[in-house]
Amino acid sequence: MVSTIPQDYRDRPVAVIGAGTLGRRIALMFATRGGLVHITDPDAAQGNRAVDWAMGELPAVAATVDGGTPGTITYVPEQKTAVAQAWLVIEAVPEHLDLKKTIFAQLDADCPPDAVVSSNSSSYASRLFTEGLKTNNRMLNTHFYMPPGSTVLDVMSNGHTAPEIIDFVLHTFPEYGLHPFLCRTESTGFIFNRIWAAIKREALEVVYEGVSIPQDVDEMFALNFGTKAGPFRMMDQVGLDVVLDIEQHYAKDNPNLPEGPRILLQKYIDEGRLGAKSGAGFYDDYPKPERS
């Protein structure tokens, strides 16, 4: 298969599939160069809230990007319509492998032949849901952390990704205020997330065992490392349901991991405490979510 680079990418939209916490933040970053970004999600209320949030943040974020100027972000209900002319499509749906397989099979058929198609998965290698697709040579992982606060992302081949696609992503994403780093071999958890997972998991285990409480762990972490937030506050921002999905995936790969962190996360989730997005998680000081 021969890969083609989307030479006219500045004149074409970016499509983001999923209007959750990370989807809307990814859309925000790709709207900082005056272009058009489509957000698509089966939940119209969530899609429109994502657009409202991202457009509200856009002027300030675009001002931090070299050559930046605010573009436009719109909600497009139908995935096929959202990706029809896109030069870049980023999947940012929950960490469920079957869902990702379904979406990538659809994208294989619906995307333009030169589009770059990537997954924001925080734990799954894209190989697991692109194997056998006819356009898998232009599919890969682009794992974002939490833009615009963190503009770092991992870039990882699916094992078939054309080298020119990898190079294109590494050289083009910085135009949007992003900092991509290449995973040089397949790695569950990519680069920084492997380091973060060990910190996060041990922090959860310390609280599960009753050794400490989330607030004290976070305060010690911030004082020792000079950060604004500790692991529990950061998990609240990601979403405890997302954190649990990731931990369960790691546990499938390594059955020797302690069970305590997953038990603790499930307890909070069962109480409806999903983190900042639900108004409460390990902390209770978040704005209550809007009712659709």
Side-chain angles (χ1 to χ4, degrees), residues 26-282:
I26 294 167
L28 167 63
M29 297 309 297
F30 283 100
T32 58
R33 293 298 295 261
L36 173 63
V37 179
H38 294 159
I39 294 179
T40 184
D41 192 290
D43 185 335
Q46 177 158 283
N48 285 309
R49 284 196 298 270
V51 169
D52 290 344
W53 178 87
M55 289 298 293
E57 298 289 321
L58 182 56
V61 176
T64 70
V65 176
D66 186 25
T69 185
T72 303
I73 305 168
T74 62
Y75 171 64
V76 180
E78 295 296 327
Q79 178 179 300
K80 185 173 183 177
T81 304
V83 307
Q85 296 179 331
W87 70 269
L88 172 67
V89 179
I90 301 176
E91 168 268 310
V93 304
E95 293 289 272
H96 301 307
L97 186 57
D98 287 343
L99 175 60
K100 293 179 187 293
K101 286 181 177 179
T102 298
I103 287 174
F104 269 80
Q106 294 168 339
L107 295 176
D108 194 38
D110 294 340
C111 288
D114 64 343
V116 177
V117 183
S118 69
S119 173
N120 181 57
S121 179
S122 56
S123 53
Y124 288 113
S126 55
R127 168 182 57 81
L128 298 173
F129 39 86
T130 64
E131 191 69 37
L133 298 181
K134 67 179 185 295
T135 58
N136 67 3
N137 64 320
R138 55 186 174 85
M139 296 177 170
L140 71 161
N141 285 95
T142 56
H143 167 241
F144 295 77
Y145 288 85
M146 192 60 69
S150 171
T151 56
V152 169
L153 66 142
D154 301 293
V155 175
M156 189 171 79
S157 169
N158 67 9
H160 298 280
T161 312
E164 60 265 34
I165 296 294
I166 297 287
D167 289 344
F168 176 72
V169 167
L170 293 173
H171 286 93
T172 304
F173 280 27
E175 295 181 15
Y176 299 89
L178 298 163
H179 296 85
F181 291 85
L182 179 63
C183 287
R184 297 171 189 272
T185 189
E186 184 178 300
S187 171
T188 299
F190 310 102
I191 305 169
F192 186 80
N193 254 13
R194 286 184 57 174
I195 300 166
W196 160 241
I199 295 169
K200 170 188 67 180
R201 192 174 299 122
E202 192 62 21
L204 289 163
E205 183 69 15
V206 163
V207 171
Y208 173 74
E209 292 177 2
V211 176
S212 188
I213 60 174
Q215 293 76 12
D216 285 355
V217 171
D218 277 1
E219 185 173 359
M220 292 180 72
F221 192 93
L223 288 169
N224 276 320
F225 292 104
T227 61
K228 293 181 179 179
F232 288 95
R233 179 69 79 177
M234 287 189 273
M235 283 187 276
D236 270 358
Q237 294 300 320
V238 172
L240 303 192
D241 52 339
V242 176
V243 175
L244 179 58
D245 282 344
I246 294 166
E247 279 302 296
Q248 288 172 333
H249 177 60
Y250 278 121
K252 287 180 182 177
D253 274 5
N254 182 2
N256 296 319
L257 292 177
E259 189 179 10
R262 282 166 278 143
I263 294 173
L264 182 65
L265 286 165
Q266 189 66 61
K267 173 181 178 293
Y268 277 79
I269 292 167
D270 289 345
E271 294 171 359
R273 302 171 69 93
L274 305 183
K277 64 185 176 184
S278 70
F282 292 114

